[in-house]
Amino acid sequence: MARRAVERELSRERILEAARHLFITKGYRAISMRSIGQHLGYSHGSLYYHFKEKAELFYAIVVEDFNHVAILLNEAMNKPPEPGMTRVEQLIIEFIRFGLDHPYQYEIMFMIRDEELLAYCRAEQGRCFELFSSIVRSHMKEEGYVSEDWQSVPLTLFLSAHGFISYYIQDKVSFDDVKEAALTHVKVLSRSL
């Protein structure tokens, strides 16, 4: 009976959200299952109903966030781009929007420096980059770009978007706060390619 009550009250989503925030603000090593439980107002034992250990909880956060980005990238490519933009420009803008509007998620996904945690992130980062690259390459083929550029251009675009996000994420601004700068950045980048 007690387990069912905990399951109703303490959802997996609430645990993930709280842990994500604590991992970013205090660091992975400084946070324990006990401190996450205290933050939520529950005993750490109630967390173990959902996650066997802290590493499993961290990996669940990483997978959830990368799955969310994959959905956003696919949606960006499956809808008509905004007037005056190409599909690839729209893709980059949506990636930048995600990074700035979800800074905690983005920092865990792409900016974490802890060696132990990088192992959890690298595979998911690779999958995200491969999705981004495949979408860009598909567009490049349709537009008649030469095949020599099919490998270098996606990486250049991805790293440029990441650099933009990394620069502005420190200022705790939303995408709307820097939307004009983001649009200009993407247009200049597109012209240079």
Side-chain angles (χ1 to χ4, degrees):
M1 184 82 158
R3 241 187 199 178
R4 286 191 181 152
V6 166
E7 185 178 352
R8 277 195 299 267
E9 293 176 12
L10 185 60
S11 69
R12 180 178 171 90
E13 291 74 29
R14 280 187 60 207
I15 296 169
L16 291 171
E17 183 180 325
R20 179 184 292 114
H21 174 73
L22 291 171
F23 288 154
I24 289 296
T25 57
K26 301 197 186 292
Y28 178 80
R29 295 195 188 280
I31 298 301
S32 64
M33 293 295 267
R34 182 178 305 278
S35 61
I36 295 167
Q38 287 173 342
H39 180 79
L40 290 165
Y42 289 86
S43 73
H44 66 284
S46 59
L47 302 180
Y48 290 111
Y49 178 75
H50 297 280
F51 301 98
K52 291 181 181 122
E53 60 185 8
K54 183 172 73 166
E56 181 184 345
L57 172 56
F58 180 82
Y59 187 66
I61 290 169
V62 168
V63 168
E64 180 180 88
D65 292 344
F66 276 105
N67 287 341
H68 181 72
V69 169
I71 291 167
L72 291 176
L73 295 180
N74 281 314
E75 285 175 355
M77 291 313 291
N78 290 325
K79 67 180 181 184
E82 293 185 22
M85 296 191 76
T86 67
R87 286 190 185 281
V88 170
E89 290 169 342
Q90 184 72 35
L91 176 76
I92 299 167
I93 287 294
E94 290 306 318
F95 186 74
I96 291 172
R97 181 188 317 270
F98 172 81
L100 294 177
D101 286 347
H102 302 91
Y104 292 134
Q105 289 92 328
Y106 192 85
E107 288 181 28
I108 283 178
M109 295 164 69
F110 292 104
M111 301 173 79
I112 201 132
R113 290 184 174 90
D114 187 303
E115 288 297 322
E116 178 186 345
L117 301 181
L118 279 174
Y120 292 108
C121 296
R122 283 296 184 210
E124 298 302 320
Q125 288 171 352
R127 283 192 0 206
C128 181
F129 173 68
E130 190 48 47
L131 174 62
F132 183 93
S133 295
S134 68
I135 293 169
V136 171
R137 280 193 300 271
S138 174
H139 174 75
M140 291 175 73
K141 289 175 185 176
E142 289 173 10
E143 296 295 315
Y145 281 77
V146 294
S147 59
E148 295 86 48
D149 291 338
W150 293 353
Q151 294 305 314
S152 60
V153 169
L155 180 60
T156 299
L157 296 175
F158 189 84
L159 292 176
S160 181
H162 175 67
F164 186 92
I165 296 165
S166 299
Y167 180 80
Y168 282 104
I169 206 169
Q170 299 173 49
D171 297 331
K172 308 264 189 264
V173 297
S174 71
F175 175 78
D176 288 338
D177 295 334
V178 295
K179 184 176 182 177
E180 290 306 313
L183 292 169
T184 300
H185 177 75
V186 169
K187 286 295 186 181
V188 168
L189 185 60
S190 294
R191 278 197 309 267
S192 67
L193 296 174

